[in-house]
Amino acid sequence: MSFGAIGGIGDIGGGGGLSQEDADLLYAPIALATTVTNLIATVDARDTKWRRLADETLLTAASSWTGPTGLGSYDEIMVEITGRTTQGSSTGAVNVRFNGDSVSGHYINSSGGSSTWLVLGAIAGSLTNTDRWGHLVGIVQNRDTTLHTVQAQYALTESNGSPPNSQHIVQAVGHFNQTGPITSLTIHPNSSTDFVAGTRFQVFGRI
């Protein structure tokens, strides 16, 4: 598309106008596609607020899963787990430890009780549950010099023999009472059980 040459103010005295070539250059459409594409490519997860830091699916059963390091630069951390444990019941507990800390009393649940980890919630266990998964999302507040509040929500179907016998539970999980930043985390099932192969772990950070 070509634009007409632009003359000077009122074309008084002639000269001072833009040539046809300059006018075309001045009004040419600005190509933004490359810049926009690059911006979108940096957004890995859900929306512009969260960045995916880890995404791993177990190839074999595991008694724990360790997430990424360098979490201290994020004000909030989100953990998402989809899978099942080998716990011999309809549900399998999911627990979390921060910074490798297993000190009893550093983790306080919503009832005020202390433990060596926080119970985030549950996914499916393996008692009659080998045909389904559970899903759990936990949010960890991670501002420096403050207590780290943790909350979670999970959903699972306990049995396909009597649908819709399922749970959709929001938990006030508790807090990690150390005030330094959380830089790493590890996810555990209950003692003497494993996460089964195919269980997926994702970690997201928000600044």
Side-chain angles (χ1 to χ4, degrees), residues 5-6 8-9 29 33 39 43 46 50 55-56 99-100 117 119 125 147 150 165 173 195:
I6 301 176
I9 299 175
L39 285 173
V43 179
R46 295 176 179 255
W50 294 98
D55 186 357
E56 182 178 352
N99 300 344
W117 56 29
V119 180
L147 301 180
V150 185
N165 182 17
V173 178
F195 294 113

Side-chain angles (χ1 to χ4, degrees), residues 105-136:
H106 285 184
Y107 301 91
I108 310 299
N109 64 31
S110 58
S111 300
S114 66
S115 184
T116 62
W117 56 29
L118 272 182
V119 180
L120 277 181
I123 53 179
S126 292
L127 181 65
T128 73
N129 274 14
T130 56
D131 59 351
R132 74 216 62 161
W133 297 112
H135 181 254
L136 182 153

Side-chain angles (χ1 to χ4, degrees), residues 93-98 100-120 173-178 188-191:
V94 177
N95 311 294
V96 62
R97 283 184 176 137
F98 303 113
D101 189 335
S102 60
V103 177
S104 180
H106 285 184
Y107 301 91
I108 310 299
N109 64 31
S110 58
S111 300
S114 66
S115 184
T116 62
W117 56 29
L118 272 182
V119 180
L120 277 181
V173 178
H175 63 272
F176 179 49
N177 65 13
Q178 303 304 287
H188 303 263
N190 261 4
S191 300

Side-chain angles (χ1 to χ4, degrees), residues 31-89:
L32 293 176
T34 301
T35 301
V36 172
T37 300
N38 289 341
L39 285 173
I40 292 174
T42 66
V43 179
D44 295 331
R46 295 176 179 255
D47 57 32
T48 56
K49 297 179 180 178
W50 294 98
R51 174 173 293 178
R52 183 166 51 198
L53 307 176
D55 186 357
E56 182 178 352
T57 299
L58 296 180
L59 298 179
T60 59
S63 59
S64 65
W65 180 82
T66 299
T69 58
L71 299 178
S73 58
Y74 296 94
D75 286 343
E76 287 188 300
I77 303 163
M78 178 165 59
V79 181
E80 185 169 353
I81 304 163
T82 304
R84 192 175 69 248
T85 81
T86 60
Q87 189 166 334
S89 62

Side-chain angles (χ1 to χ4, degrees), residues 54 65-69 71 183-187 203:
W65 180 82
T66 299
T69 58
L71 299 178
T183 60
S184 64
L185 58 84
T186 304
I187 307 296
V203 177

